[in-house]
Amino acid sequence: MNGNNTFDTSGAPDRDLPMLTAAQAARLRALTAPYAQVGHSYPLHNLAQKCRQAPEERWPEVVADHFSALQAGSQGGESATELLRGVHARLLPTDSLTPDIAGAMRYARVVAEGLVFAYALDLPTSVRMLTDPDVERAGIEELGQAAYANLMRVPVEHEEVPIQGGALLHSVYGDSPFVASKALFLSEVARQVTGEPLPDAGALVVVPTRHLLAYHPIVDGSVVDAVNGLAAYALGAHEDGPGELSPRVYWWHRGGLTSLTVIDHDTRSFSLQPPPELLALMKGLVRLDRAGRIDTPTAAKAPDVAALTHTTAEAMARLAEDPSALGDAFASALTLSHAHCATDPEAAHVDTWDAWATAVQLGSALFTGAQAQECRLGEDRVRQLPATPAAPPADARAWLDAFYVAVVCRQKHRADRLCEVPLEVLRQDDSVDAYVLHWIDTLRTYWAERSMDDVVGKLITTMETSQPASLTHTPKDFADLIDYQPVALFHRLVTRDHDAFAEALAEALAHHGTYWGDSAAPRARVALGPLAMAGLAYDHGFPVALKQPYLPTYLLNGERIEEMPGC
C-alpha cells in the first residue's frame, strides 16, 4: 500500500495541464486567448484532453469547435424553473478552477482532496457551470434537491471487474459527463446497480474520468488487493481520458470522501496512505477473513472434510521444523472441527470428536506450550505434536477461540492455563477493537473466581466499548450478531437468570443464522461462543434445551467428551 508509482514525465508536463507538455499547454492557451477576451472564462482541462487526442495541426479546429459549442449553449439568465429542470450535482478537479471561475462560484466547496463540488446545467449541446447569481435565483435548498434527483436519473452501465488477489470492482460508466459525480451518493448508486447498499465500512472508490467510477465495498480482507487494483485502474483510465477527473483512490464512508493517495507534484509520483481509521479496519478485516470468521464469496463452496483433514495433517507435520506454523495449524484444526458438524451436526461421531480434541490441543499449545503428544484426526490418522515452549502470540481472537474450545470440551486445566497468559501480550494485538480485550479480561477474571464485583465491572466495560460508535476494526454486523452474543449470554449466566439465559441463547442462535445465512463456511455450522456459554450454563444446572441449531448436542451436554492426551 505504500509502494510508489511514477507518472510519465517525458516531455516536461505542464504543471496545470499535465496531460500536455509545457510547450503544448502554452500553445493551447494562445489558441484560447481570443475566446476568453469576449468576457467568458472557461476551464481548459477538458479541452486539453481533447487536444491530447488530436494531431497538433488540428488544434485550431478543435478549439474553435469547443468554444462554438459552449457559446451555442447557455449564456445565462435562465429562470429558476429552467435551472431546477436541468441542474446536476457535479464533481470537478480542483485545479480546473481558475481564480476568475472560482470567484464566480463561491458556493462551490472542496469535498475531498482534488475534488470540488459544484452545480452544472445540462443543456442539449453543452454543460454550463452555475454561478452564484444562478444559485441565488433558484434557491440553494431547492437547487440541491433538484441536482441530486437529476443526477440519480442519469443512466449508467454496470459490470463487475475481478482483479488479482480475489477482489471485485464494480465499474459504473456511461456517456453522460455526470456519471462520476454519482460517487457523491455512492451507497445509493450501489443500491441501484446491485440491489444492495454499501456496508457500514463504506467502499473504496475512484473517479478517473467524468464518465466512469469504480468502487469496491469494504467487507473482507480483499480490501487490501482492492486498494492496489483501484490505484492502477484509476491511473490508467485517468491518463487515457477523455474528461479526466482524478487519479486518486478515495474512501467513501458515511457520505464523505477521503483521499488515500498522496501525490508528490515535484517528482510526479504518488503513494497510497490509508488514514488510521481505515488502516485499522483493513487490518482487522484481514485477520477476520483469514481465520474464516466473516462471510466471504469464497465461503460459497461446501467444506471438503477430507481436504481439510489433509491440510491440517500437513500443517502439523511441519511443526517439527517450523514451530512458528502452530498458529496456522490451530486455525486449520478449528476449521476442520466446524466442518465435521456439517454432516454430523450433533457431534455424535468419533471423527468429529477427534477434530475438536485436536483443536483444543493445538490451541492450548499455541498459547501455553505443551509436552509432546499425539493428535488424532480420525480414521486412525495420528499426528505428533512436538514439545512446544510457551510463546503466546499477540492474537486476541485466536486466544478466544482456544478458550472457547477448551470450555466446550470441558478441558478446565487447559482453560486455567490459557487464563494465565499475560493480558499485556494480547493487548499488543492491534487488529481488534477494545471490547475484544475487555471481554478476554472479563473471562479471565471470572475463571479465576475473583470477586463478582470485579467481573461485573469488566463486563460493563465490555458492553460499553462494543457500541457501534467505538468500532474501528470490526464490521458492525459481525460485532452485533456474532461477537457480542457470548457477552450477552455471560451476563445472564452470572446473574443466574435461567429464563433470561434461554431467551438470550435463542436470540444468539437466531443472530448466528442471520449473519451466515445459507453460507457453506465451516464457521457457519457452529456458534462457537454461544456453545461455550451454553456448555457452562448446562454444567451449572441451567435447563438448556439440547436440540438447538448450531449447538452440537453431544458437545453441549458433554456426552461426546473423551480423554485427550497431553496437558
Side-chain angles (χ1 to χ4, degrees), residues 3 281 389 410:
L281 178 62
R410 293 1 186 234

Side-chain angles (χ1 to χ4, degrees), residues 406-482:
V407 170
V408 166
C409 295
R410 293 1 186 234
Q411 292 289 297
K412 183 180 183 303
H413 61 290
R414 282 186 162 94
D416 289 343
R417 292 173 59 199
L418 284 165
C419 287
E420 293 172 359
V421 173
L423 193 57
E424 291 72 20
V425 171
L426 301 180
R427 282 178 174 150
Q428 295 171 22
D429 184 353
D430 61 356
S431 70
V432 297
D433 285 297
Y435 77 87
V436 176
L437 296 166
H438 288 302
W439 173 226
I440 290 173
D441 194 16
T442 303
L443 291 172
R444 286 161 43 94
T445 303
Y446 169 79
W447 203 257
E449 299 182 350
R450 294 176 187 156
S451 84
M452 193 53 63
D453 286 344
D454 286 348
V455 173
V456 171
K458 294 176 188 296
L459 178 62
I460 290 173
T461 302
T462 302
M463 293 176 170
E464 292 174 344
T465 54
S466 65
Q467 297 300 312
S470 301
L471 303 180
T472 58
H473 298 69
T474 313
K476 180 179 178 296
D477 58 345
F478 183 84
D480 287 347
L481 302 178
I482 301 298

Side-chain angles (χ1 to χ4, degrees), residues 166 220 289 294-302 521:
D220 57 37
D289 192 10
I294 57 178
D295 195 9
T296 69
T298 58
K301 297 179 181 179

Side-chain angles (χ1 to χ4, degrees), residues 94-353:
T94 53
D95 55 4
S96 70
L97 300 186
T98 65
D100 287 345
I101 295 173
M105 297 166 56
R106 296 186 184 278
Y107 73 88
R109 66 182 188 275
V110 174
V111 292
E113 197 166 0
L115 294 175
V116 171
F117 166 87
Y119 293 121
L121 187 64
D122 191 23
L123 299 162
T125 60
S126 65
V127 173
R128 178 174 77 82
M129 303 309 302
L130 298 193
T131 62
D132 292 325
D134 296 321
V135 173
E136 184 177 354
R137 188 161 63 254
I140 188 67
E141 291 187 9
E142 294 83 354
L143 203 64
Q145 294 172 359
Y148 167 76
N150 292 336
L151 177 66
M152 299 315 293
R153 283 194 289 267
V154 168
V156 297
E157 300 289 333
H158 167 251
E159 66 180 53
E160 296 180 348
V161 181
I163 61 174
Q164 187 174 4
L168 189 68
L169 307 184
H170 293 269
S171 177
V172 180
Y173 57 94
D175 294 332
S176 169
F178 298 106
V179 171
S181 300
K182 288 174 175 272
L184 290 164
F185 311 103
L186 190 61
S187 192
E188 182 59 29
V189 172
R191 192 190 304 273
Q192 288 181 350
V193 299
T194 69
E196 297 289 338
L198 293 178
D200 291 329
L204 302 176
V205 61
V206 295
V207 285
T209 75
R210 295 172 297 172
H211 304 279
L212 169 68
L213 70 86
Y215 71 92
H216 171 79
I218 301 174
V219 293
D220 57 37
S222 68
V223 63
V224 174
D225 296 309
V227 169
N228 298 310
L230 277 169
Y233 186 87
L235 183 58
H238 183 263
E239 290 180 338
D240 290 342
E244 65 170 16
L245 187 51
S246 172
R248 297 174 181 269
V249 178
Y250 295 94
W251 178 28
W252 188 97
H253 188 226
R254 298 174 181 170
L257 291 168
T258 302
S259 175
L260 278 61
T261 306
V262 177
I263 298 177
D264 186 328
H265 292 282
D266 292 332
T267 62
R268 306 299 300 165
S269 66
F270 72 89
S271 60
L272 293 169
Q273 299 178 17
E277 183 181 3
L278 177 58
L279 194 60
L281 178 62
M282 291 168 65
K283 186 176 294 186
L285 284 172
V286 168
R287 293 288 287 272
L288 286 167
D289 192 10
R290 186 177 296 155
R293 297 184 181 97
I294 57 178
D295 195 9
T296 69
T298 58
K301 297 179 181 179
D304 184 335
V305 170
L308 289 173
T309 301
H310 177 76
T311 299
T312 304
E314 291 296 305
M316 294 188 64
R318 292 195 297 270
L319 294 179
E321 296 181 357
D322 183 13
S324 67
L326 183 54
D328 291 338
F330 170 52
S332 182
L334 192 63
T335 299
L336 176 62
S337 69
H338 283 61
H340 268 287
C341 294
T343 55
D344 181 20
E346 293 188 335
H349 302 155
V350 68
D351 287 355
T352 302
W353 166 251

Side-chain angles (χ1 to χ4, degrees), residues 505-526:
L505 182 57
E507 185 174 293
L509 299 179
H511 285 325
H512 184 88
T514 297
Y515 177 81
W516 287 104
D518 58 359
S519 171
R523 288 267 183 173
R525 305 299 175 175
V526 178

